[in-house]
């Protein structure tokens, strides 16, 4: 399922969720960890049926 444009701009915000009972912390924490290690986390592909996240870390 594709992430809507409206939600795509917010998915890394802490406490943003579209799931009932979700905390909205998973992607925010994952990106924070990546950035703490000199990297980043982003959506590299967002098509119907396939959403791909890419993470980089510094050496």
């Amino acid at each position: 399922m594709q992430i809507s444009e409206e939600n795509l701009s917010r998915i890394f915000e802490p406490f943003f969720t579209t799931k009932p009972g979700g905390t909205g912390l998973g992607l925010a924490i994952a990106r924070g960890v990546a950035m703490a290690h000199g990297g980043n986390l982003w959506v590299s592909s967002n098509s119907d049926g396939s959403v791909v996240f890419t993470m980089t870390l510094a050496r």
Side-chain angles (χ1 to χ4, degrees), residues 11-24:
I11 61 171
F12 295 107
E13 290 178 17
F15 306 109
F16 174 76
T17 184
T18 60
K19 292 182 181 180
T23 63

Side-chain angles (χ1 to χ4, degrees), residues 2-39:
Q2 187 174 14
I3 301 171
S4 72
E5 286 298 318
E6 178 182 337
N7 290 341
L8 194 58
S9 65
R10 299 191 62 205
I11 61 171
F12 295 107
E13 290 178 17
F15 306 109
F16 174 76
T17 184
T18 60
K19 292 182 181 180
T23 63
L25 292 174
L27 288 172
I29 290 171
R31 185 180 236 181
V33 168
M35 293 178 84
H37 291 277

Side-chain angles (χ1 to χ4, degrees), residues 1-3 43 45-52:
M1 186 159 122
Q2 187 174 14
I3 301 171
V43 177
S45 177
N46 184 29
S47 58
D48 194 25
S50 177
V51 177
V52 178

